[in-house]
Amino acid sequence: MARKPRIEYEGALYHVITRGNQRQRVFKDIEDYRRYLKILADYKVRYKYALYAYVLMSNHVHLLIETRETPLSKILQGINQSYTMYFNRKYGTVGHLFQGRYKAILCDKDGYLLSLVKYIHLNPMRVGVVKEVDKYPWSSHRVYIERGEGERMGIVDTEQVLGMFSEN
């Protein structure tokens, strides 16, 4: 049975989840996390999508992406393929790193943007990796509260979310 085509259009907001193949770790050390963020930054420049939130867990990734001119499928193909090539080269492995097709949930930006950012940022706490969400280094939460590594790389678009709280 053929899978259903994704609904893709300019300005669509997606909650994307990409899991490691057979639940394997996709990040084994700090360099891996940093490389994935670098790839996100590179593809953001290339395809000009908006990224409102991310969390990199040891065996999966959550992204909150708003597409512009480039379809989500092309964006994710580039990101996942680039990171897989890096990972396979570094660890001497071959084949798929990510499990099948990534999950992309089309979301209503006006109604759910803030809830989705919160959901993504709380993921490390929900699964018991940390007791306090601001202690997890591989999440865009730190960008919102202290201008973390993702902010220095220009990955996260914070203006719209922060604007929901105050104009300044």
Side-chain angles (χ1 to χ4, degrees):
M1 179 180 210
R3 59 186 179 200
K4 294 179 184 176
R6 294 193 194 279
I7 299 170
E8 296 194 48
Y9 58 91
E10 190 171 330
L13 180 70
Y14 300 94
H15 176 194
V16 177
I17 305 163
T18 305
R19 298 194 180 282
N21 200 21
Q22 299 177 350
R23 299 181 186 215
Q24 75 180 15
R25 291 176 61 97
V26 294
F27 303 108
K28 295 186 178 187
D29 63 23
I30 290 172
E31 183 183 346
D32 296 345
Y33 289 99
R34 287 187 175 144
R35 177 58 68 100
Y36 192 89
L37 291 176
K38 169 97 172 68
I39 290 168
L40 274 180
D42 292 346
Y43 276 89
K44 191 166 188 275
V45 169
R46 181 182 293 182
Y47 293 134
K48 298 175 183 33
Y49 58 86
L51 180 66
Y52 297 111
Y54 70 83
V55 66
L56 311 181
M57 304 297 288
S58 62
N59 68 350
H60 69 284
V61 173
H62 289 265
L63 304 171
L64 187 56
I65 292 179
E66 180 181 349
T67 59
R68 302 261 165 78
E69 297 169 8
T70 307
L72 182 69
S73 56
K74 188 167 185 167
I75 295 167
L76 264 289
Q77 177 187 22
I79 292 169
N80 288 349
Q81 188 174 44
S82 293
Y83 185 75
T84 298
M85 288 169 42
Y86 154 80
F87 187 93
N88 285 345
R89 223 178 359 257
K90 179 176 178 180
Y91 295 106
T93 56
V94 295
H96 297 286
L97 175 61
F98 296 106
Q99 173 183 308
R101 193 178 189 200
Y102 59 89
K103 187 174 184 178
I105 303 160
L106 183 61
C107 304
D108 174 26
K109 185 176 176 184
D110 294 331
Y112 293 103
L113 180 61
L114 197 55
S115 297
L116 288 165
V117 170
K118 180 181 172 184
Y119 175 84
I120 289 169
H121 289 168
L122 290 174
N123 194 271
M125 214 169 77
R126 245 190 329 277
V127 299
V129 174
V130 292
K131 290 188 191 278
E132 297 174 37
V133 69
D134 57 330
K135 301 292 185 213
Y136 192 73
W138 307 111
S139 162
S140 56
H141 178 70
R142 294 177 67 152
V143 175
Y144 282 96
I145 61 169
E146 64 183 44
R147 305 296 185 207
E149 189 157 352
E151 176 68 14
R152 287 191 301 275
M153 298 176 79
I155 296 174
V156 183
D157 298 281
T158 59
E159 299 81 22
Q160 188 155 10
V161 173
L162 292 175
M164 297 171 100
F165 296 103
S166 170
E167 289 181 13
N168 34 331

